């Protein structure tokens, strides 16, 4: 499913960890791995640089980008045939254009990063790429929990039963299948601020029953792939419930869509996914389902 994997890098620890995960996926799928460093001349020049950047300064920025590429290659020494590139431009646009031009099918990138005249803030860049990319984006932070590249034993698929959530199932299962992972299917019931009375209890029971049906449907897809599936329905705020479940069950990766239905038994997957990305200690595979 993933024949070409792209790792944008700013040389930060988060980007290097994302490269490790990108390389692990490239190995698993036999994919070509691309490394991209973006030189953001507009950010480097600042808002008051009307005269442009002199050539010496541009050369220094490109030399720094080459160092980022070298550091990233050093972090994944067991990958052959890596294609590298340095391009000038605004990071989000440049990454998306590169991905489209080279038929990239998966982007793996850090969600934090260094800042400065020759860096971009990887957190905001990652969110921008997630919102606009037409391919799955694996977001990674450099944490002890993310030190699992090549070892996805448990994959979590949160679902609200919408067609948008369903778009993340196949990309998530493709990875689970390659690594023989157990797949957790989670539905979160969020009754909101309803008073704690008999009506709330009745509503929660009905929503949990609907959640059982939703998770069972996805679990059938999982088992059809020959994978072990486990289902759960939890009550609470969706981002917090997803992260708590991942922590409780020792999940190695979360795969989820970036848009979904709203309502008392649904959660807006767009905002939920972004909140999960910002706080997750493990990689999150975000699948843009808006188009």
């Amino acid at each position: 499913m993933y024949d070409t994997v792209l790792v944008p890098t700013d040389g930060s620890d988060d980007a290097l960890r994302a490269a490790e995960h990108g390389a692990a996926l490239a190995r698993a799928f036999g994919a070509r791995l691309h490394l991209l460093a973006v030189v953001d001349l507009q950010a480097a020049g600042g808002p008051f640089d009307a005269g442009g950047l002199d050539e010496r300064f541009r050369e220094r920025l490109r030399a720094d980008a080459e160092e980022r590429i070298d550091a990233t290659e050093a972090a994944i020494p067991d990958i052959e045939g890596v294609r590298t590139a340095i391009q000038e431009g605004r990071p989000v646009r440049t990454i998306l254009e590169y991905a489209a031009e080279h038929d990239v099918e998966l982007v793996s990138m850090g969600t934090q990063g260094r800042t400065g005249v020759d860096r971009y803030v990887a957190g905001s860049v990652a969110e921008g790429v997630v919102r606009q990319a037409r391919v799955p984006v694996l977001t990674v932070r450099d944490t002890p929990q993310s030190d699992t590249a090549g070892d996805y034993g448990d994959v979590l698929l949160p679902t609200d039963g919408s067609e948008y959530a369903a778009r993340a199932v196949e990309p998530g299962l493709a990875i689970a299948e390659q690594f023989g992972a157990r797949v957790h299917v989670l539905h979160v019931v969020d009754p909101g601020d309803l008073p704690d009375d008999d009506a709330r209890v009745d509503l929660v029971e009905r929503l949990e029953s609907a959640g059982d049906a939703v998770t069972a449907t996805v679990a059938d897809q999982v088992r059809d792939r020959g994978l072990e599936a486990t289902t759960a329905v939890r009550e609470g705020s969706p981002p917090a419930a997803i992260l708590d479940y991942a922590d409780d069950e020792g999940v190695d990766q979360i795969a989820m869509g970036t848009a979904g239905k709203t309502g008392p038994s649904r959660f807006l997957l767009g905002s939920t996914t972004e909140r999960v990305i910002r706080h997750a200690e493990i990689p999150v595979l975000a699948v843009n389902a808006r188009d």
Side-chain angles (χ1 to χ4, degrees), residues 92-116:
V92 172
R93 176 179 294 180
T94 302
I95 292 167
L96 294 172
E97 290 178 349
Y98 186 96
E101 180 181 350
H102 294 87
D103 296 322
V104 168
E105 294 174 319
L106 174 71
V107 178
S108 180
M109 61 188 302
T111 57
Q112 301 289 335
R114 288 183 267 179
T115 59

Side-chain angles (χ1 to χ4, degrees), residues 214-270:
V214 166
T215 57
T217 298
V218 178
D220 286 342
Q221 295 178 253
V222 175
R223 297 186 181 104
D224 287 343
R225 301 285 283 267
L227 297 171
E228 180 184 353
T230 182
T231 64
V233 176
R234 288 195 174 185
E235 180 183 348
S237 167
I242 291 168
L243 293 170
D244 287 344
Y245 182 92
D247 185 56
D248 293 343
E249 298 297 325
V251 168
D252 302 302
Q253 184 187 116
I254 301 170
M256 58 194 301
T258 60
K261 297 180 182 179
T262 58
S265 65
R266 308 293 187 182
F267 53 83
L268 180 61
L269 275 173

Side-chain angles (χ1 to χ4, degrees), residues 168-182:
V169 172
E170 177 57 30
L173 288 185
I175 293 175
E177 194 171 36
Q178 287 297 320
F179 293 91
R182 177 173 59 172

Side-chain angles (χ1 to χ4, degrees), residues 140-165:
V140 185
R141 294 173 60 198
D142 179 32
T143 67
Q145 293 86 341
S146 71
D147 189 15
T148 57
D151 186 22
Y152 300 126
D154 291 83
V155 172
L156 172 60
L157 296 177
T159 180
D160 65 355
S162 69
E163 62 179 292
Y164 302 99

Side-chain angles (χ1 to χ4, degrees), residues 36-78:
L36 172 65
V38 180
V39 177
D40 189 347
L41 296 178
Q42 183 174 332
F48 306 109
D49 183 31
L53 303 175
D54 63 50
E55 189 59 31
R56 180 178 298 178
F57 189 46
R58 292 172 67 113
E59 289 177 359
R60 195 169 79 207
L61 295 178
R62 291 190 66 86
D64 179 80
E66 291 175 0
E67 290 180 3
R68 291 183 245 160
I69 292 289
D70 291 343
T72 306
E73 285 191 287
I76 49 172
D78 55 342

